[in-house]
Amino acid sequence: MITYTFFAFLCSFLYSVSSVLCKYGLQHHVDIRSLSLNQVAVFLAGNKVWLAGVLLAVLANISMIQIQYRLDVSIVYPILNFSYIFVLILGHWFLDESLTADQWFGIVIVAMGTLLILGIDETNTGHRTRIANLLTLTAGVLVAITALVSIARYHKQISYEPVYAVSAGLCFGLVETYLKATTNMVASEGGGFSVVSWQCVRVFVSVWPFFVMFFFGAFGWLFLQISYSHGAISVTVPIIAVVQRIVSMFSGYYVYGEFFGMIKMMGIITIVLGIFILVFSTLRVEEPRTV
């Protein structure tokens, strides 16, 4: 399992580089909000920096398919919280976004929580997918997203970046949940799962959880780009981190019946606390600039 843990850390770094590249490509050339849909498509197709960011994200996502099959979602996704640490630091270095003492403190807290998670001996305690619980969770998230998007569309006076960031976090949390459900279904049919097996890949893209995962992934990506198109990455990413982690952690217990021992609970609580510190500290930094 050490190998999979290492690659989870590597994926977290790829995600952070992808976020910075997408952010730079969208904000350092033209105001995307002033373009029509056709102009946006042409702009993105010729935006090499943005395309490089998307390519890295795709590579990391493919790797995560195999990694999360081997590890509990309540283990592997907390490790990915390092991507939010990396992205804040890279945003500070390459996008000239400032980091306060509170933000550095939040980064340290997240790192401590992740190290606690890594101290767990058993990294695969979950059971088969509880379909009824999965559908209940999905319905609740859909209601929340519908309400948030309606608020963003009909209340123009509010800042829409945090609203779409929360929506993206909800979508990506369900993507992580359905990814586990998809690989579980493939494994139940073929006795195992591997991204390098054509048989596994064929079944993977044909079972129903895959299509639900694709649906939420597409909308999450759309909400993410809307968030990136306006405001600082140091606000968008921590908000998504909080919401996404809450959904995936809850699904580990509610949908997959993963064991939550004392060390795991301490690690998860520490991580969530650290991300909350990051969110509120970054929002305080951005507040004077809100119109």
Side-chain angles (χ1 to χ4, degrees), residues 19 80-81 83-84 87 161-174 176 219-228 232-248 275 278-279 282-283:
S19 296
L80 290 185
N81 281 288
S83 66
Y84 308 116
V87 79
E161 180 198 7
V163 174
Y164 280 105
V166 172
S167 299
L170 289 171
C171 286
F172 290 146
L174 274 188
E176 294 171 349
F219 274 93
W221 182 86
L222 175 63
F223 296 147
L224 179 64
Q225 303 313 308
I226 295 174
S227 298
Y228 280 165
I233 197 173
S234 55
V235 174
T236 299
V237 172
I239 291 176
I240 294 175
V242 170
V243 178
Q244 185 175 351
R245 287 290 80 78
I246 290 175
V247 173
S248 61
I275 297 178
L278 287 172
V279 168
T282 51
L283 287 177

Side-chain angles (χ1 to χ4, degrees), residues 78-287:
I79 293 176
L80 290 185
N81 281 288
F82 265 93
S83 66
Y84 308 116
I85 294 177
F86 291 142
V87 79
L88 289 175
I89 295 175
L90 291 174
H92 174 65
W93 284 346
F94 297 106
L95 300 179
D96 296 324
E97 296 185 0
S98 60
L99 287 176
T100 66
D102 288 342
Q103 288 172 308
W104 284 113
F105 179 66
I107 287 174
V108 172
I109 295 299
V110 172
M112 291 174 58
T114 306
L115 291 176
L116 281 173
I117 292 290
L118 295 180
I120 298 174
D121 293 329
E122 182 57 59
T123 57
N124 193 354
T125 63
H127 305 291
R128 291 184 177 180
T129 308
R130 300 167 175 171
I131 300 298
N133 292 6
L134 176 62
L135 296 179
T136 300
L137 176 63
T138 304
V141 169
L142 277 173
V143 170
I145 292 174
T146 301
L148 288 168
V149 172
S150 298
I151 291 173
R153 284 178 59 85
Y154 297 110
H155 296 273
K156 302 297 184 181
Q157 69 275 16
I158 70 170
S159 175
Y160 66 81
E161 180 198 7
V163 174
Y164 280 105
V166 172
S167 299
L170 289 171
C171 286
F172 290 146
L174 274 188
V175 167
E176 294 171 349
T177 302
Y178 272 92
L179 177 58
K180 185 74 171 179
T182 305
T183 54
N184 278 357
M185 188 170 291
V186 175
S188 67
E189 293 186 14
F193 177 82
S194 173
V195 292
V196 297
S197 167
W198 169 246
Q199 177 66 19
C200 288
V201 172
R202 185 184 65 80
V203 178
F204 181 85
V205 298
S206 63
V207 295
W208 69 266
F210 170 81
F211 297 100
V212 181
M213 178 184 68
F214 183 84
F215 172 84
F216 282 105
F219 274 93
W221 182 86
L222 175 63
F223 296 147
L224 179 64
Q225 303 313 308
I226 295 174
S227 298
Y228 280 165
S229 69
H230 178 69
I233 197 173
S234 55
V235 174
T236 299
V237 172
I239 291 176
I240 294 175
V242 170
V243 178
Q244 185 175 351
R245 287 290 80 78
I246 290 175
V247 173
S248 61
M249 291 301 97
F250 179 71
S251 72
Y253 172 78
Y254 182 65
V255 178
Y256 300 109
E258 295 175 1
F259 176 71
F260 279 65
M262 181 63 68
I263 295 179
K264 180 184 284 189
M265 286 300 301
M266 289 176 59
I268 291 173
I269 292 172
T270 302
I271 288 170
V272 173
L273 174 62
I275 297 178
F276 268 110
I277 292 173
L278 287 172
V279 168
F280 289 113
S281 60
T282 51
L283 287 177
R284 282 201 303 269
V285 171
E286 293 296 311
E287 191 175 28

